[in-house]
């Protein structure tokens, strides 16, 4: 382990570079799930990360998922350029970190981990390192760790009081504890652009009494979050003429522009608008979208009237002041952020972080949620909204859910249009999420083979181990501990191969409960496990529960 710190006596760009032998390397891991796990060549342009975009950490992974080198920068707000790649001339793997330094600014700090531990352990150690410098987190509202319902994929912009309340009632019945109303509440336009963002007044025809509507959703038993595209000012809003001169850039394809958070009047306006959700309408929280749009590669000079020279400082002031304002009314406010704005510099101002949009892509949802888990620090990690075609089988619905097992699921289908088998599958698996939330979301996470998209993932605490199988792979049970209390192992099968090979190092007996995708009991027996592998039939979308006792 090495910690490097560089300070500057004058404004200067500092670049650190080091190389490791590229022996047995299998993958290059970064928090940017869009990036392939391949080993890039060293001449690939570095990625620029900042408060609004990404996180400065990467890991070269070798065989047995051991980290050959995990590296991170300590700067989590100002832009940092992070590069890596294979040096063709030598077969080495080069890492680079580049940062602009000033005498009064943050020094360049680099953490290099060569301990050879599991890559996930080394990345979590980086998150702990960042946490040493981060402000204390105010805490996570319990509802933020429970299943949620989102209106985005199921309804898109077609939301109104009656429709939302109908879905809320159905969502509460299957085990959801919150509802997130997305784009559409603020406009009658249904063309999916952002030209109607910025005024942030409810559509009076769809939501004539928003406070009464929120109270009804609360009566149904759900918390309520409302969506805001924070950076956007749309051309078709009254605010356009007021703020069109206070922007970072126009986004013509979105029919909107990105506001410049360095202006105090911009921040005050946005904070006043977003705070109405909690202060006037009684919301439990807000979904803050598109913070990454504030990220700029070449920011314009600070304009007249700005009180911050750097864009990232304006962004931090905006989210910090917004968080403080919301917590004055609701100390346990729920605030959703999303990939790719996963910087630890944003941890104090969020409650949860969601995988970015990957509709109907369960494997992508799995990889994104696992990646988020490794760098989320104190935040709850949510899956992208889970949807499926109306003709989907209950087994396939279960596969979608199991792919999001180590996060908080957000359901986004028309619950009134689901078959009884589909609803039974939802009720069963959401109950699994709820009952085992502690280990699934906060247990030690060990994903296998990032180069193959994590075909096997496990999480454990002192008493429970959960293993999810996404490919026809054997499942090795953890060694038995002294059994003063029963120990539970859950094996969720998301693969089409129903023969799960259970591996143990020594003979043991265990109570085995096998359930189908709807929770129906298929068998309940005592298994005599022999040293080696033991075949157990667990159907696709099903769950094996092993109770290990003396």
């Amino acid at each position: 382990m090495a910690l490097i710190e560089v300070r500057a006596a004058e404004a200067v760009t500092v670049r650190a570079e080091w190389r490791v032998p590229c022996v047995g390397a299998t993958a290059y891991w970064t928090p940017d799930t869009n990036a392939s796990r391949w080993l890039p060549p060293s001449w690939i342009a570095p990625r620029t990360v900042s408060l609004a975009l990404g996180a400065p950490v990467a890991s070269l992974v070798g065989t047995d998922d051991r980290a050959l080198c995990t590296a991170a920068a300590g700067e989590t707000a100002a832009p940092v350029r992070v590069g890596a790649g294979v040096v063709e001339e030598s077969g080495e793997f080069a890492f680079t970190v580049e940062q602009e330094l000033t005498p009064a600014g943050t020094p360049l700090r680099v953490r290099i981990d060569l301990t050879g531990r599991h890559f996930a352990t080394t990345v979590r150690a980086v998150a702990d390192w960042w946490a040493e410098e981060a402000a204390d987190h105010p805490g996570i509202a319990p509802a933020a760790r429970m299943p949620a319902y989102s209106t985005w994929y199921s309804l898109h912009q077609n939301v109104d009081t009656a429709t939302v309340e109908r879905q809320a009632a159905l969502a509460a019945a299957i085990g959801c504890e919150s509802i997130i109303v997305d784009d559409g509440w603020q406009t009658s336009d249904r063309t999916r652009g952002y030209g109607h963002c910025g005024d942030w007044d409810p559509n009076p025809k769809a939501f004539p009494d928003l406070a009464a509507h929120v109270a009804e959703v609360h009566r149904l038993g759900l918390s309520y979050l409302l969506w805001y595209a924070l950076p956007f000012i749309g051309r078709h809003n009254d605010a356009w003429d007021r703020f069109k001169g206070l922007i970072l850039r126009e986004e013509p394809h979105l029919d909107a522009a990105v506001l410049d958070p360095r202006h105090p009047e911009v921040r005050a306006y946005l904070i006043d608008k977003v705070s109405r959700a909690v202060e006037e309408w009684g919301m439990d929280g807000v979904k803050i979208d598109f913070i990454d749009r504030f990220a700029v590669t070449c920011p314009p000079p600070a304009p007249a009237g700005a009180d911050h020279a750097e864009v990232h400082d304006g962004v931090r002031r905006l989210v910090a002041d917004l968080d403080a304002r919301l917590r004055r009314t609701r100390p346990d406010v729920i605030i959703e952020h999303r990939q790719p704005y996963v910087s630890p510099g944003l941890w104090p101002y969020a409650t949860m972080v969601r995988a970015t949009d990957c509709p109907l892509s369960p494997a992508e949802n799995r990889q994104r949620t696992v990646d988020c888990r490794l760098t989320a620090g104190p935040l709850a990690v949510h899956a992208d909204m889970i949807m499926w075609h109306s003709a989907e089988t209950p087994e396939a619905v279960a596969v979608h859910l199991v792919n999001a097992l180590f996060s908080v699921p957000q359901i986004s289908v028309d619950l009134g249009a689901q078959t009884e088998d589909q609803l039974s599958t939802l009720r069963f698996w959401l109950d699994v999420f709820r009952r085992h939330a502690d280990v699934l979301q906060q247990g030690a996470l060990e994903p296998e083979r990032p180069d193959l998209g994590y075909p096997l993932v496990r999480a454990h605490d002192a008493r429970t181990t959960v293993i999810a199988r996404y490919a026809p792979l054997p499942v090795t049970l953890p060694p038995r501990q002294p059994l003063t209390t029963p120990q539970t192992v859950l094996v969720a099968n998301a693969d089409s191969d129903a023969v799960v090979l259970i591996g143990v190092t020594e003979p043991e007996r265990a109570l085995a409960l096998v359930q189908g995708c709807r929770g129906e009991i298929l068998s309940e027996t005592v298994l005599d496990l022999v040293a080696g592998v033991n075949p157990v039939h667990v159907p696709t979308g099903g769950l094996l529960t092993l109770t290990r006792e003396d």
Side-chain angles (χ1 to χ4, degrees):
M1 185 82 66
L3 292 174
I4 300 169
E5 182 170 310
V6 178
R7 298 181 180 272
E10 58 184 31
V12 65
T13 299
V14 174
R15 184 176 187 268
E17 179 177 342
W18 66 100
R19 300 181 181 186
V20 297
C22 200
V23 177
T26 60
Y28 174 61
W29 183 93
T30 74
D32 181 5
T33 311
N34 285 324
S36 169
R37 301 305 193 203
W38 71 312
L39 307 186
S42 59
W43 43 261
I44 289 287
R47 58 191 176 98
T48 299
V49 299
S50 65
L51 184 72
L53 184 64
V57 59
S59 181
L60 179 63
V61 185
T63 53
D64 296 326
D65 296 324
R66 301 295 171 183
L68 301 177
C69 180
T70 295
E75 176 57 63
T76 60
V80 176
R81 289 173 291 282
V82 181
V86 173
V87 181
E88 298 167 358
E89 292 81 0
S90 65
E92 295 173 300
F93 197 85
F95 288 81
T96 62
V97 176
E98 190 173 296
Q99 183 180 328
E100 311 294 335
L101 298 186
T102 61
T106 305
L108 170 67
R109 294 190 301 132
V110 178
R111 186 180 196 273
I112 303 173
D113 188 330
L114 300 171
T115 59
R117 296 174 293 170
H118 192 284
F119 86 95
T121 301
T122 64
V123 174
R124 281 196 304 271
V126 167
D128 293 340
W129 179 59
W130 285 330
E132 294 172 2
E133 300 295 326
D136 290 338
H137 195 276
I140 307 296
R145 295 199 181 276
M146 290 292 110
Y149 182 86
S150 169
T151 63
W152 182 237
Y153 292 148
S154 57
L155 301 172
H156 285 104
Q157 291 182 308
N158 300 306
V159 290
D160 58 39
T161 295
T163 302
V164 171
E165 289 176 6
R166 179 169 179 264
Q167 295 299 324
L170 295 169
I174 63 170
C176 293
E177 291 200 12
S178 60
I179 188 167
I180 303 169
V181 173
D182 213 289
D183 190 3
W185 67 270
Q186 80 289 359
T187 178
S188 59
D189 181 80
R190 295 295 179 258
T191 58
R192 297 275 294 273
Y194 296 97
H196 296 272
C197 293
D199 287 348
W200 301 118
D201 294 319
N203 173 9
K205 292 184 178 179
F207 296 95
D209 190 338
L210 194 49
H213 164 60
V214 173
E216 174 59 18
V217 171
H218 284 162
R219 189 191 68 78
L220 294 170
L222 298 186
S223 299
Y224 201 128
L225 280 73
L226 196 61
W227 171 88
Y228 289 86
L230 192 67
F232 291 152
I233 193 77
R235 286 184 171 276
H236 308 301
N237 273 216
D238 291 341
W240 175 263
D241 288 336
R242 175 181 172 184
F243 290 105
K244 63 184 179 182
L246 305 178
I247 63 173
L248 283 175
R249 64 180 177 274
E250 291 201 41
E251 302 265 11
H253 62 295
L254 299 178
D255 209 17
V258 175
L259 290 166
D260 190 338
R262 293 177 291 183
H263 290 281
E265 58 265 49
V266 166
R267 298 195 304 272
Y269 176 81
L270 292 175
I271 291 168
D272 283 344
K273 285 294 184 179
V274 176
S275 297
R276 294 176 65 199
V278 170
E279 295 172 351
E280 297 181 26
W281 304 324
M283 303 283 179
D284 302 275
V286 290
K287 172 179 179 175
I288 302 298
D289 215 345
F290 296 112
I291 287 178
D292 52 306
R293 294 285 179 162
F294 284 128
V296 285
T297 305
C298 298
D307 60 356
H308 290 284
E310 304 295 340
V311 174
H312 65 267
D313 287 330
V315 173
R316 179 158 50 187
R317 180 72 177 274
L318 170 60
V319 295
D321 289 353
L322 173 60
D323 181 76
R325 171 81 172 266
L326 294 173
R327 291 186 187 278
R328 285 210 308 258
T329 301
R330 186 174 293 280
D332 61 346
V333 68
I334 303 172
I335 301 175
E336 179 186 291
H337 287 182
R338 172 181 56 79
Q339 274 185 319
Y341 41 99
V342 295
S343 169
L346 292 174
W347 287 351
Y349 318 118
T351 309
M352 61 202 209
V353 58
R354 178 179 64 81
T356 200
D357 298 26
C358 51
L360 262 174
S361 301
E364 185 75 3
N365 218 358
R366 172 176 80 247
Q367 294 175 71
R368 289 184 176 280
T369 51
V370 169
D371 288 346
C372 283
R373 277 287 307 276
L374 297 180
T375 56
L379 306 185
V381 172
H382 281 233
D384 183 41
M385 293 78 71
I386 299 173
M387 59 165 290
W388 52 85
H389 189 275
S390 59
E392 195 60 274
T393 65
E395 290 81 8
V397 171
V399 167
H400 279 283
L401 294 164
V402 175
N403 272 276
L405 190 59
F406 300 93
S407 63
V408 180
Q410 292 188 12
I411 308 304
S412 192
V413 292
D414 180 356
L415 294 174
Q418 303 305 300
T419 67
E420 183 51 42
D421 280 346
Q422 289 168 329
L423 290 174
S424 295
T425 301
L426 273 171
R427 283 190 291 266
F428 169 62
W429 277 105
L430 293 190
D431 182 60
V432 172
F433 278 96
R434 292 165 58 88
R435 286 189 292 112
H436 299 286
D438 286 349
V439 62
L440 289 172
Q441 297 179 40
Q442 297 176 283
L445 188 70
E446 293 183 0
E448 295 187 6
R449 299 298 300 271
D451 53 316
L452 299 179
Y454 307 132
L456 196 77
V457 182
R458 66 182 70 219
H460 66 87
D461 59 19
R463 293 184 54 181
T464 304
T465 297
V466 182
I467 304 171
R469 173 183 185 263
Y470 305 102
L473 298 174
V475 174
T476 302
L477 301 190
R480 288 204 313 169
Q481 303 300 319
L483 296 178
T484 55
T485 58
Q487 295 172 3
T488 302
V489 179
L490 305 180
V491 180
N493 183 28
D495 190 71
S496 58
D497 174 22
V499 180
V500 179
L501 299 180
I502 303 295
V504 293
T505 56
E506 59 184 25
E508 65 171 281
R509 305 185 82 192
L511 301 175
L513 171 67
V514 178
Q515 294 171 276
C517 65
R518 296 175 291 275
E520 68 277 21
I521 296 176
L522 302 179
S523 66
E524 193 169 9
T525 60
V526 175
L527 287 182
D528 287 304
L529 300 171
V530 301
V533 295
N534 302 263
V536 180
H537 188 275
V538 184
T540 302
L543 179 67
L544 167 65
T545 302
L546 294 172
T547 304
R548 310 166 93 178
E549 299 178 323
D550 284 331

